Amino acid sequence: MSIQTKFFVYLFVLVILPLMAASFLILAISSDIIGSKSREAVFQSFKQTEFRLNQIVSNTEYLSDKLLGNEDVQQLSNLNEQSYPYEFVVRTNGLNYFLQQEIRVQPYLHSFLLINNTKPIYRFGYYENEVNQDLLQQAIQQKGVPVWTGTYKLHSYQNPNENEYVVSLFRAVNDLNLFVVISVEILTIPEQALEQAYTENDAWQNDGMVIIDGNGQIVSSKNKSEIGNHIGQLPYVQQVMSGIEGNFRSTINGEKVSVFYYKLPNPGWHVIKVVPDSQINEPQKFLGILIVVALSICLLFGIIFSVIQNNRIIRPIKLLKREMDKVKRGNLEIKLDVQQKDEIGQLVFHFRAMGLELKDLIDKVYHSQLKEKEARLQMLSMQINPHFLYNTLESIRWVAIRHQVDSVADQLEVLSNMFRYSLTQEHQITTIEQEVEHVRNYMIILNFRFNHIYEFEVQVEEHMLQYECPHFILQPLVENSIKHGFADRIEQGFIRISIVQEAAFTRICVEDNGIGADENRIRRLFDGEESHSSYALKNIHSRLQLKYGPEFGILFSSELGIGTKVVIVLPAVLRHDGV
C-alpha cells in the first residue's frame, strides 16, 4: 500500500469517519433534547391560554353571583308586567344600566336572559335566546349551582338569518327571603371569545386546538365545522379526559403528533392542542442542516488538506523514491527540484548531497584503484622475473663458496634474502621485524659496494617487532637518503631508523645527516620529479593514504647542511599468525 493510499485511509478512518459518527450521535442526542425542550416550550406557551379562559369562566360565574343578589333581578322575577308596568320599567332600566357597566369590564358578555316559568321576563342583547328546556329544568334542580351548556347556534332577534355559536351559563335565581326558585338567569358568551382567548395567548398557533366538554363534544374550535362533533371515542381524547394536564405523543391519521392538554375545572372542559411533530422538529431540522453544513465544511477542508498534503509531502516523497530507485540502479544523476524548507526539503537536500558525495567517492575509489593497479604493474615490471634471478643468484653463490670467495658469497646471500622477501610477500602487509631485516640486507650490500662508508642504526622496542607494517616502505626511504642526502659527500654518512609506539599509533622516523634540502626540492621529491626513488616516495605516500586514510602518509622535514627527517605514522596493530 502506497503512502498516499495509507494517508487517505488514515484520514478517512481517523478523521472523517469519527467526525461523521460524532455528528450523527450529536444530532441524535440533541434531537431528543431539543424535541423535549420544544414540547416543553409548546406546553408552557399553551398553558398561557389557561389563565385567560379561566378568567372568562370565573368572571362570568362572578357576574352570575352578582345578578343573583341584584335587587332589580329579584324584583323583576316577582313582578307582573301588566300589574306593575311602571315599576317593571324602572327595574328594567336599572338592570340595563348595571349590565352596561359590566359589559365595559367584560366585553365578551353576549346577552342576558331572565326566565320565569319558561317565559322570558327580561332580555339584554341583540339576539333571541332559544331556551333548552332540559337545561332549564337542570338549572332549577341545581337550585343555584351554575350549569354550563355546550356550544349551540343563537339566532339574531333583529335578523333571523344571522346566527352565531355561543355557550351559556344557566343558573336558578332564589328568592333571598323565601329561598325558593323564582327565575332562571342565562348568561351567554360567544364561542368566538373563547377562540380568541386561546389563540391570542398561544405563541404556537395552529388549527389543532379545541375545547371539549365532559362528554367529548367539541365546544370551541378554529374550524367551525367541527363544533358540536363528538370525539370522545378517539384514543388520544380518552387519554386526555383521564388526566388533568400534560402532554404525550400519539399518531392521528398516520401522522405523528404531540398532544397537549389541561382541564378547566368549573365547566369540566378539556382544552386540547395537537401539534404535528414536523412543526415541533423544525429546530431539529435546522440543527440537522447546520450539522450537515459544518460536516460538509470539515470534509471540504479535509479534501483541501489532502490536496495540500499530497502536493507538499506525498509528491516530494514519491519523487524522492523515484530518484532513490535510479540511484539503486546505478544512476547517480539526481534531479530533484524541491524548494521546501521543512523536513521534506531537508531530506531532499541531504539526499542530493549524499548522491554527490557518493558519486565523488566512487570517482575517487575508481581513480585510486587505477593508481594501485599502476603501482602493482610498476612493481611487477621492476621485478624482472625474480624467481629466475633468485635461483641464478643461489647458483652463483655456491660457485663462490667452492672457490672460497667469501665476500662474494656473503653479498649473494644477502641479495638472495632480499629477493626471497619480495617473493614471499603475497599480502601488502608485513611486520616491522621483516621490514627492518630487509633494510639491513639492503645496507649490507651498499656498504660492500661503497667500502662501509654508511653507518646504519635501528632503534625499535622488542614488543613492536610483530606490529603490522605496509610492505616496502622503509627501503625506498633509506635509498632516498643515500641518493639525495649523500650524493656529493665522500665522508661517512649516518642513517637512523627509530620506531616507537605513541598511544594507538606506530611512529617510524628515518633521519640522516646528509646535505638536506630546501622546500622546492622537497616538493619535487614528493611529486616524483627528481628520480625513480622520488617516484617511489610518492607511491608510498599514496599507498598509506589509500590504506589508512588521508590523515596518514609521509611527513618531510629538512635543513640544508644539517640533514633530513622523514616520519611515517601508522595505526598500532599487532599482526596475528596466518595474516
Side-chain angles (χ1 to χ4, degrees), residues 259-274:
V259 180
F260 306 87
Y261 67 94
Y262 60 83
K263 185 176 182 180
L264 297 175
N266 283 347
W269 295 342
H270 282 87
V271 184
I272 305 174
K273 183 181 183 68
V274 178

Side-chain angles (χ1 to χ4, degrees), residues 245-464:
E245 68 176 26
N247 67 87
F248 58 88
R249 303 182 71 178
S250 182
T251 301
I252 300 177
N253 298 326
E255 183 182 16
K256 292 183 178 181
V257 297
S258 294
V259 180
F260 306 87
Y261 67 94
Y262 60 83
K263 185 176 182 180
L264 297 175
N266 283 347
W269 295 342
H270 282 87
V271 184
I272 305 174
K273 183 181 183 68
V274 178
V275 182
D277 283 351
S278 58
Q279 294 184 16
I280 294 180
N281 294 335
E282 283 295 330
Q284 297 169 245
K285 293 180 181 179
F286 176 75
L287 177 63
I289 294 173
L290 186 63
I291 290 178
V292 170
V293 171
L295 183 61
S296 301
I297 293 174
C298 291
L299 292 177
L300 177 62
F301 277 99
I303 293 173
I304 295 174
F305 172 76
S306 300
V307 173
I308 294 175
Q309 292 296 92
N310 181 68
N311 293 332
R312 301 292 294 176
I313 295 179
I314 297 176
R315 182 175 174 273
I317 291 177
K318 292 173 70 175
L319 293 176
L320 182 60
K321 179 181 179 299
R322 185 191 67 187
E323 296 300 316
M324 286 182 174
D325 292 338
K326 288 172 57 179
V327 172
K328 183 179 178 181
R329 293 191 297 269
N331 185 358
L332 298 179
E333 296 295 331
I334 299 175
K335 297 179 180 179
L336 280 175
D337 186 18
V338 178
Q339 304 299 328
Q340 298 172 218
K341 302 298 182 181
D342 54 11
E343 289 80 357
I344 300 295
Q346 293 179 6
L347 182 63
V348 172
F349 173 78
H350 290 301
F351 177 72
R352 284 190 300 203
M354 182 194 72
L356 294 175
E357 292 179 1
L358 182 61
K359 184 178 179 182
D360 186 56
L361 180 61
I362 291 175
D363 291 340
K364 288 181 179 179
V365 171
Y366 175 74
H367 290 302
S368 66
Q369 288 177 346
L370 288 179
K371 289 182 180 179
E372 186 174 358
K373 287 181 180 179
E374 290 176 0
R376 289 180 179 177
L377 289 174
Q378 185 178 12
M379 289 179 64
L380 290 174
S381 64
M382 293 172 61
Q383 289 178 1
I384 313 174
N385 198 351
H387 286 281
F388 173 75
L389 292 176
Y390 173 71
N391 293 332
T392 302
L393 289 174
E394 282 295 310
S395 299
I396 296 173
R397 176 173 172 270
W398 282 109
V399 171
I401 292 174
R402 276 200 304 270
H403 291 81
Q404 296 182 351
V405 185
D406 294 335
S407 60
V408 174
D410 291 340
Q411 292 185 60
L412 289 173
E413 181 180 8
V414 172
L415 185 59
S416 297
N417 290 337
M418 293 181 65
F419 274 109
R420 185 169 63 250
Y421 176 70
S422 64
L423 291 174
T424 56
Q425 296 303 314
E426 297 179 358
H427 303 284
Q428 294 297 314
I429 301 298
T430 183
T431 63
I432 291 176
E433 181 180 19
Q434 291 175 336
E435 188 70 8
V436 169
E437 183 63 26
H438 178 68
V439 175
R440 289 184 190 275
N441 291 332
Y442 174 74
M443 290 303 300
I444 290 174
I445 292 176
L446 287 181
N447 276 324
F448 271 120
R449 177 183 175 186
F450 295 107
N451 197 20
H452 301 282
I453 66 172
Y454 300 113
E455 182 181 351
F456 179 68
E457 178 182 324
V458 177
Q459 298 177 353
V460 58
E461 298 178 2
E462 184 70 21
H463 73 280
M464 296 192 66

